[in-house]
Amino acid sequence: MTAMSTRGFARLASGAAGTNFGYLDEQTKRMIRRAILKAVAIPGYQVPFASREMPMPYGWGTGGVQVTAAVLGPADVLKVIDQGSDDTTNAVSIRQFFARTSGIATTTSTAAASVIQTRHRIPEHRLKEGQVLVYQVPIPEPLRFLEPRETETRRMHALSEYGLMHVKLYEDIARHGHIATTYAYPVQVAGRYVMDPSPTPKFDNPKMDDCPALQLFGAGRERRIYAVPPYTRVRSLEFEDHPFTVQRFDRPCALCGAADTYLDEVVTDDRGGRIFVCSDTDHCEERRAAGHRGEAA
Amino acid sequence: MALAAAALAPGFRDPVPDAQGTFRAVMEALARPGSLQRLATLPAVPEPLPPELAAIALALADHEAPLWLDVRLAAAPAVVDWLRFHSGAPVVADPASAAFALIADPAACPPLEAFARGTPDYPDRSATLVLAVAELTTAHGLILEGPGIRGRALLGAAPLPNDFAQRLERNRAGFPLGVDHLLVASGRVAGLPRTTRILGVA
């Protein structure tokens, strides 16, 4: 699956000299741009858009790619991450796709990027004003697993009828003694719409709140775009007696020694050896370049 | 003959980057109310169409996104022809069916209730009003608060309807329904999305 998809991807991208800047045609870009503007004006609300076929399968970030393609200009510097990493197949493919179809500069540095497309992580490095963070979203509707009918979820959003969401979190507490949801943890944006932050670990939820960067979300298969403007309140749902908390790790990163980052488990041998390292590879490399060392480095 | 010549006058010099740059400025303006964003490339336009309105129409309007023109613009056939030719957008007489309203005489802007404000299920099906003002400043004016604003911001524009602040407050009170505003002058654009609160004047 992986090899087949990336081959097709590379073939199309390499023959892309004849495509428009950023691959999409101008009419499609205008349609997506109009959806983005309304998404920014109505924070957390899911704007329907006419998602296009992209030269990659659904599930590989077609929503994020379309949003990025509509936003990018010749002066932009693009970073793409997949679970925090700049060098996985998905991240490399999307970065090359835009380098070839628009000729723009790419980077792995969070600070140097003007547009960052992400699958399921928010960089550890604090984002700044003027940056745009584009999320790839598989299922944009936070109420979908509770109510399968789109007509109903749309009505629930219209009426701010979010009791069901709290019931779901309460069932977590009843069953596990605590809220067991660890990713795609629902948030309320600017005190109104409940939104799926995409399957980021809930560790990243606090970074969405009062963020200086503009956050855009694209769901290709589900055909929705939504947004969180800069400096906007993003509150994770919680109960008074069960406040929202993030994951804590009981050890620092084995490579850079950071104690405040989200860690991935990496199996190092076939005898059960494992280390925990920063999921954000750029952040980890920057720290090591600055002289920080973990126990495995 | 004059009309045909006007219709053939060029739009954006380089349509792909010019449309992108214009969109990006508008996106930043709506994402950061109280900031002024530069519209880098403005097309040559037939009188009395302000070039900033023209740039936004070319960047964002098309056959799926109709334009409504205020009385001053609608009275100029050269403007209507130019916009139709370059954007491909229908120019509608009923403000309620417009995606973008181009307003060259902002003091005479119709009440916001005349425009589409969306529905409870689809609040995005609402108009964006683009007002060409003479002055646009962040040194004084309305005191703004809300999403996109760090603390508070100022935005001053003139001329505007006398009850503009009250209109904005009424608009915000109807959230998530409402219209969104763009104000343009001298190659700059400012955004006032429906989420922005007006706290007073400074």
Side-chain angles (χ1 to χ4, degrees), chain A residues 283-297:
Chain A
H283 183 74
C284 195
E285 279 162 22
E286 257 181 27
R287 280 180 51 84
R288 276 179 282 155
H292 297 282
R293 289 285 178 272
E295 57 184 25

Side-chain angles (χ1 to χ4, degrees), chain A residues 228-247:
Chain A
V228 176
Y231 303 117
T232 297
R233 196 152 44 88
V234 178
R235 195 176 53 78
S236 301
L237 298 190
E238 61 185 353
F239 294 97
E240 272 176 27
D241 50 347
H242 284 272
F244 171 80
T245 55
V246 298
Q247 296 97 326

Side-chain angles (χ1 to χ4, degrees), chain A residues 258-293:
Chain A
D260 58 350
T261 61
Y262 190 76
L263 303 183
D264 281 343
E265 183 180 5
V266 178
V267 175
T268 53
D269 54 39
D270 57 2
R271 298 185 304 279
R274 62 197 58 207
I275 58 172
F276 288 83
V277 300
C278 288
S279 123
D280 184 336
T281 52
D282 169 62
H283 183 74
C284 195
E285 279 162 22
E286 257 181 27
R287 280 180 51 84
R288 276 179 282 155
H292 297 282
R293 289 285 178 272

Side-chain angles (χ1 to χ4, degrees), chain A residues 20-21 26-27 29-31 33-34 36-38 40-43 45-48 70-74 76 114-115 128-132 150-151 154-155 158 190 192-193 212-214 216 229-232, chain B residues 15-17 19-20 23-24 26-28 30-32 57-65 87 99-100 120-128 146-151 175-176 178-180 182 193-195:
Chain A
N20 191 21
F21 180 90
E26 289 301 295
Q27 201 277 321
K29 285 187 199 167
R30 273 194 302 273
M31 174 271 295
R33 287 167 179 168
R34 289 193 297 264
I36 291 173
L37 295 182
K38 286 302 168 190
V40 169
I42 315 169
Y45 164 75
Q46 301 163 51
V47 183
V71 166
L72 275 188
D76 276 309
S114 58
V115 177
K128 56 185 188 227
E129 284 193 15
Q131 287 183 315
V132 181
E150 171 70 12
T151 47
R154 204 153 268 283
R155 180 51 49 88
R192 178 57 176 81
Y193 284 96
L214 169 63
L216 302 176
Y231 303 117
T232 297
Chain B
V16 173
Q20 187 273 339
F23 158 73
R24 196 65 174 269
V26 169
M27 180 180 83
E28 286 292 321
L30 276 177
R32 299 169 202 281
L58 292 196
L60 294 165
D62 58 28
H63 64 281
E64 294 177 343
S87 73
F100 294 92
D121 286 3
Y122 296 96
D124 57 300
R125 295 177 183 173
S126 47
T128 303
I149 303 168
R150 184 180 196 183
F175 187 87
V179 301
D180 305 301
L182 297 171
R194 65 193 74 180
T195 46

Side-chain angles (χ1 to χ4, degrees), chain A:
Chain A
M1 168 70 193
T2 302
M4 191 187 75
S5 300
T6 49
R7 264 205 306 278
F9 197 101
R11 196 166 51 237
L12 231 156
S14 64
T19 63
N20 191 21
F21 180 90
Y23 184 78
L24 295 174
D25 63 274
E26 289 301 295
Q27 201 277 321
T28 297
K29 285 187 199 167
R30 273 194 302 273
M31 174 271 295
I32 294 172
R33 287 167 179 168
R34 289 193 297 264
I36 291 173
L37 295 182
K38 286 302 168 190
V40 169
I42 315 169
Y45 164 75
Q46 301 163 51
V47 183
F49 81 111
S51 179
R52 297 292 193 249
E53 292 267 351
M54 296 302 285
M56 68 180 88
Y58 285 135
W60 282 64
T62 55
V65 165
Q66 290 179 78
V67 169
T68 299
V71 166
L72 275 188
D76 276 309
V77 179
L78 176 70
K79 171 184 166 82
V80 183
I81 51 172
D82 178 4
Q83 305 285 7
S85 169
D86 292 279
D87 45 20
T88 62
T89 304
N90 196 218
V92 171
S93 298
I94 292 173
R95 204 159 56 233
Q96 285 182 354
F97 174 73
F98 282 114
R100 287 178 184 171
T101 57
S102 55
I104 57 144
T106 61
T107 183
T108 57
S109 160
T110 299
S114 58
V115 177
I116 303 171
Q117 183 172 324
T118 176
R119 173 171 173 269
H120 316 341
R121 275 308 312 282
I122 301 173
E124 305 287 0
H125 197 291
R126 185 166 160 81
L127 299 175
K128 56 185 188 227
E129 284 193 15
Q131 287 183 315
V132 181
L133 183 61
V134 179
Y135 296 73
Q136 302 171 202
V137 181
I139 298 168
E141 179 50 74
L143 303 164
R144 183 59 69 232
F145 291 110
L146 307 169
E147 170 54 65
R149 289 167 296 182
E150 171 70 12
T151 47
E152 282 301 307
T153 52
R154 204 153 268 283
R155 180 51 49 88
M156 289 158 80
H157 283 294
L159 299 172
S160 302
E161 180 52 69
Y162 294 128
L164 208 53
M165 202 76 240
H166 278 97
V167 170
K168 194 228 169 234
L169 296 175
Y170 173 76
E171 283 179 355
D172 263 12
I173 295 169
R175 199 172 302 154
H176 305 285
H178 61 96
I179 297 175
T181 304
T182 54
Y183 65 95
Y185 190 105
V187 295
Q188 188 162 34
V189 182
R192 178 57 176 81
Y193 284 96
V194 166
M195 181 188 96
D196 184 326
S198 86
T200 51
K202 69 176 178 178
F203 181 89
D204 285 339
N205 276 23
K207 295 181 195 154
M208 306 182 98
D209 181 40
D210 204 33
C211 177
L214 169 63
Q215 304 174 75
L216 302 176
F217 300 76
R221 186 190 49 214
E222 303 290 325
R223 296 161 191 251
R224 296 290 183 272
I225 288 171
Y226 51 104
V228 176
Y231 303 117
T232 297
R233 196 152 44 88
V234 178
R235 195 176 53 78
S236 301
L237 298 190
E238 61 185 353
F239 294 97
E240 272 176 27
D241 50 347
H242 284 272
F244 171 80
T245 55
V246 298
Q247 296 97 326
R248 292 265 169 249
F249 298 90
D250 53 12
R251 67 193 82 187
C253 169
L255 295 178
C256 77
D260 58 350
T261 61
Y262 190 76
L263 303 183
D264 281 343
E265 183 180 5
V266 178
V267 175
T268 53
D269 54 39
D270 57 2
R271 298 185 304 279
R274 62 197 58 207
I275 58 172
F276 288 83
V277 300
C278 288
S279 123
D280 184 336
T281 52
D282 169 62
H283 183 74
C284 195
E285 279 162 22
E286 257 181 27
R287 280 180 51 84
R288 276 179 282 155
H292 297 282
R293 289 285 178 272
E295 57 184 25

Side-chain angles (χ1 to χ4, degrees), chain B residues 88-191:
Chain B
V91 175
V92 295
D94 177 12
S97 51
F100 294 92
L102 304 186
I103 295 155
D105 182 8
C109 180
L112 303 187
E113 289 71 20
F115 300 94
R117 299 169 63 248
T119 65
D121 286 3
Y122 296 96
D124 57 300
R125 295 177 183 173
S126 47
T128 303
L129 276 55
V130 194
L131 286 74
V133 293
E135 286 172 51
L136 200 51
T137 175
T138 55
H140 56 82
L142 300 173
I143 305 168
L144 315 179
E145 190 183 80
I149 303 168
R150 184 180 196 183
R152 288 175 184 180
L154 293 175
L155 185 67
L160 287 173
N162 292 330
D163 63 343
F164 191 64
Q166 290 90 315
R167 288 184 185 204
L168 291 180
E169 254 316 292
R170 219 164 46 239
N171 188 44
R172 194 200 63 84
F175 187 87
L177 304 191
V179 301
D180 305 301
H181 287 82
L182 297 171
L183 305 177
V184 297
S186 324
R188 298 281 189 282
V189 56

